[in-house]
Amino acid sequence: MTEHLATTPFGRRPMTLGMISSQLAAKKEKSETVIVHKWHVFQHIKEARQVLGATDRALAILHALLSFHPETALQGDSELIVWPSNEQLMARANGMPPTTLRRHLAILVDCGLIIRRDSPNGKRFARKGRGGEIEQAYGFDLAPIVARAEEYKSLAEAVQAEKKAFRVAKERLTILRRDIVKMVEAGIDEGVPADWRRFQQTYQDIAVRIPRTAPRQILESIGGEMEKLWRDIRELLESFTKTQNMDANESHSGRHIQNSNPDSHSESEEGPPKKIEAGGKVAATDNLRSLPKRELPLGIVLDACPEMRWLMKDGEIRHWRDFLAAAELARPMLGISPSAWCEAREVLGEQQAAITLAAIYQKSDQISSAGGYLRSLTERAKDGKFSVWPMVMALLRAKLDASKPPATQSGRDSAEPQKTAQGGGLQPSDQLRTPLSRWQK
C-alpha cells in the first residue's frame, strides 16, 4: 500500500487547521504500537461529548463507523480506514436521513474524531492487490480513536468528577434548606426567643435566587450563604438548649402560652365573665352543650373580627373561601407554625380553625404566643371543652361595650341597651340580636 494519502476533503468542503491537527496526532501515533479497545474509547467519547462538541446523532454515526471495522482492538500501526457507503451508514444509524447524515459526519470531522480520506472523485472504496490485500483505501480514518484515547479517557473522568461535584452541591443545598425550615419551625413551636421573622425573610431572600437550572458554581455560592444562615440558627438553638433544664423549659412554656390549663377560665373561651365555683368544670361543659349546633354565620364572624378584612387586597370578604384565604395570610403574621395550624384544622375542621385564628388575630395584642394559644385551644377541643361560639360572642360583647357611654349610676346598667339604641351608638343587627340577648342574660 502506498504511503501517500489524501489529506484535503473532496468538493467544496474547505480545509481547516483543525483537520491538520487531527492528522498530525494520528501520524504521531502511527509510529507507536498502541492498542485500545474501540468500544471502551467510544464510551469515554460519549461521556465527554459535550466537552468535545459532538451531538447524539454524530455519536450514532461514529458507532456505525466503528462497527464497520472488523477488529475490536485497534492498533496504532494498523489500517484503520473504513469505507461504507451512505446507504450502509444510514441503515446502521437507524434510518437517518441523508442530509442529517452528511451534517453530522461533518461534526465528527470538526471534532477531530475521524479524518476524511477522500478519493479523487469523492467515492469511498478500497483497491486490492492480486493477493487480496488492500493496497489503497478511501473513506474515514479512525486513527484519532487510537491517537487520542488517553485524552478521551481524561476528559470522561473530568466530566464524571464535575457531575459528582454538581450532585454533591445540589444535595447539600437541599439538606440545608430542609434543615433551616424545620429548625425555624422548632424555634417558633418551642418559644425560643429570637427574631424568627427575620430568619424566615433571610431564607426567602436566598432561596428566591436559586434558578431552575444552575451551574455548580452558583449552587456552591448559594449553598455557602445557606450554610451561614444554618449555622446562625443552629448555634441559637444549641445555646438555648444548653441554658435550659427541664424545669426552666416548662416555666418558659407556661410564660409564653396563655390559657394552657384546660381548666382555667378565659373570657374568650367561656363567654361572659362569671364567678367560677367548685362545680366550674361541669358548668362549663353544660354551657358548651347548650350552645347552638348550627355554624356561625360569616357576617357575625366578620363583625367580631373586622381586622381580617384588611388582609384582603380589596378589603372585602364575600364568601367563606375568601375568609379561609385571609386566615392563611394571617397565620405566618402571627408566628403560628404550619404544624400547629395543620393540627388545629384536623381537630376543629377547616372553617372552625379559621374562625379561631381570626379571633386570635383580632386580639393579638393581648396574646404573647399565638402558636401556643392555638395549640392550647386545640387540646381543649379534643376533650370537647372548646367552641368558637363563646369566643366570637365575647369579641362582639367587648365591641358593643366599648361603644356604650360610661354609666353614671349602677342602677342604670339595665337601661343601657335601650339608651344606646336611641343615642345613635353601635347598633346590633337583627342577625345579632338573638344570640347576643342570650349571652347578655
Side-chain angles (χ1 to χ4, degrees):
M1 184 174 180
T2 59
E3 292 294 328
H4 177 74
L5 289 174
T7 57
T8 58
F10 173 77
R12 298 182 179 180
R13 292 188 294 268
M15 184 68 178
T16 64
L17 293 179
M19 294 180 184
I20 295 177
S21 177
S22 299
Q23 293 167 6
L24 287 175
K27 184 178 180 180
K28 179 181 178 181
E29 293 295 337
K30 282 283 187 178
S31 60
E32 301 178 7
T33 304
V34 179
I35 300 176
V36 299
H37 193 294
K38 65 181 182 181
W39 299 123
H40 291 174
V41 180
F42 179 74
Q43 181 63 32
H44 296 156
I45 293 173
K46 280 204 307 181
E47 294 173 358
R49 64 182 180 275
Q50 293 182 347
V51 179
L52 295 171
T55 61
D56 292 340
R57 291 197 171 187
L59 292 183
I61 297 173
L62 179 60
H63 186 279
L65 289 173
L66 289 172
S67 68
F68 281 105
H69 196 285
E71 301 295 335
T72 299
L74 303 183
Q75 191 168 344
D77 56 355
S78 62
E79 182 57 54
L80 299 175
I81 298 177
V82 293
W83 53 92
S85 65
N86 283 353
E87 288 76 12
Q88 291 174 317
L89 276 176
M90 287 187 292
R92 293 200 185 184
N94 303 320
M96 187 178 297
T99 54
T100 305
L101 176 71
R102 289 191 291 270
R103 184 169 66 254
H104 290 284
L105 277 172
I107 291 176
L108 288 176
V109 175
D110 293 340
C111 293
L113 294 171
I114 59 175
I115 299 174
R116 287 185 183 274
R117 302 293 187 184
D118 288 346
S119 65
N121 61 1
K123 301 294 183 180
R124 303 179 203 129
F125 62 90
R127 184 181 294 114
K128 297 182 179 180
R130 291 185 178 181
E133 71 280 0
I134 297 176
E135 293 182 346
Q136 184 71 50
Y138 297 100
F140 299 105
D141 194 347
L142 303 178
I145 301 296
V146 178
R148 302 175 62 185
E150 288 299 322
E151 177 187 349
Y152 297 146
K153 182 178 180 180
S154 299
L155 287 175
E157 291 175 350
V159 169
Q160 291 299 322
E162 178 64 22
K163 286 183 178 179
K164 181 180 179 181
F166 176 83
R167 185 172 61 253
V168 170
K170 192 173 182 180
E171 291 174 353
R172 170 173 169 260
L173 182 58
T174 300
I175 293 174
L176 285 172
R177 294 182 66 181
R178 184 185 66 197
D179 286 356
I180 290 172
V181 171
K182 291 184 178 294
M183 286 193 299
V184 169
E185 289 182 358
I188 295 174
D189 290 345
E190 298 295 334
V192 179
D195 190 355
W196 295 112
R197 291 189 180 182
R198 180 179 64 82
F199 284 124
Q200 290 174 328
Q201 185 61 45
T202 303
Y203 168 77
Q204 292 296 336
D205 292 342
I206 299 174
V208 76
R209 300 194 341 256
I210 302 176
R212 293 178 62 87
T213 56
R216 173 182 56 84
Q217 292 78 5
I218 293 180
L219 292 181
E220 289 180 346
S221 175
I222 296 176
E225 297 181 44
M226 283 287 186
E227 186 173 4
K228 183 178 182 301
L229 179 61
W230 177 90
R231 190 179 298 110
D232 292 342
I233 299 174
R234 183 72 180 184
E235 290 176 356
L236 177 64
L237 294 178
E238 289 180 351
S239 176
F240 180 80
T241 302
K242 291 177 181 178
T243 57
Q244 300 294 316
N245 53 29
M246 292 300 295
D247 294 336
N249 283 333
E250 292 176 2
S251 174
H252 175 82
S253 177
R255 289 194 300 269
H256 281 267
I257 300 179
Q258 292 187 353
N259 302 325
S260 59
N261 184 357
D263 299 330
S264 65
H265 178 74
S266 171
E267 178 182 313
S268 64
E269 297 167 20
E270 303 297 338
K274 56 178 70 177
K275 186 177 180 180
I276 299 182
E277 302 174 353
K281 295 182 180 179
V282 178
T285 304
D286 293 340
N287 190 22
L288 289 177
R289 289 175 181 173
S290 65
L291 292 174
K293 300 303 181 183
R294 67 180 186 278
E295 298 291 338
L296 271 166
L298 179 59
I300 292 180
V301 177
L302 292 177
D303 284 342
C305 309
E307 294 292 333
M308 294 294 287
R309 298 179 187 272
W310 297 103
L311 296 174
M312 303 304 289
K313 185 176 182 181
D314 56 356
E316 291 292 335
I317 297 179
R318 301 177 181 86
H319 310 283
W320 278 111
R321 61 176 177 271
D322 297 336
F323 187 80
L324 297 177
E328 291 292 342
L329 295 174
R331 179 195 64 78
M333 297 175 64
L334 292 170
I336 296 175
S337 66
S339 60
W341 178 232
C342 181
E343 183 181 7
R345 286 189 298 175
E346 290 178 357
V347 176
L348 297 170
E350 190 170 14
Q351 185 171 313
Q352 300 295 313
I355 295 173
T356 304
L357 188 140
I360 295 175
Y361 185 73
Q362 183 65 29
K363 57 176 186 177
S364 58
D365 57 337
Q366 305 173 23
I367 301 175
S368 61
S369 175
Y373 189 35
L374 181 62
R375 286 188 182 276
S376 174
L377 298 181
T378 303
E379 291 298 322
R380 300 191 65 179
K382 290 180 181 179
D383 299 332
K385 298 178 180 179
F386 171 72
S387 171
V388 295
W389 273 90
M391 209 173 194
V392 173
M393 292 300 110
L395 290 172
L396 286 173
R397 188 181 62 258
K399 185 177 179 182
L400 289 174
D401 291 343
S403 67
K404 294 178 182 179
T408 58
Q409 297 179 5
S410 60
R412 297 171 58 186
D413 293 344
S414 60
E416 284 300 326
Q418 180 67 21
K419 186 175 180 180
T420 302
Q422 296 175 355
L426 179 64
Q427 303 296 322
S429 61
D430 294 338
Q431 191 179 21
L432 294 179
R433 292 183 186 278
T434 302
L436 283 177
S437 62
R438 182 184 305 115
W439 285 96
Q440 288 175 347
K441 292 181 179 179

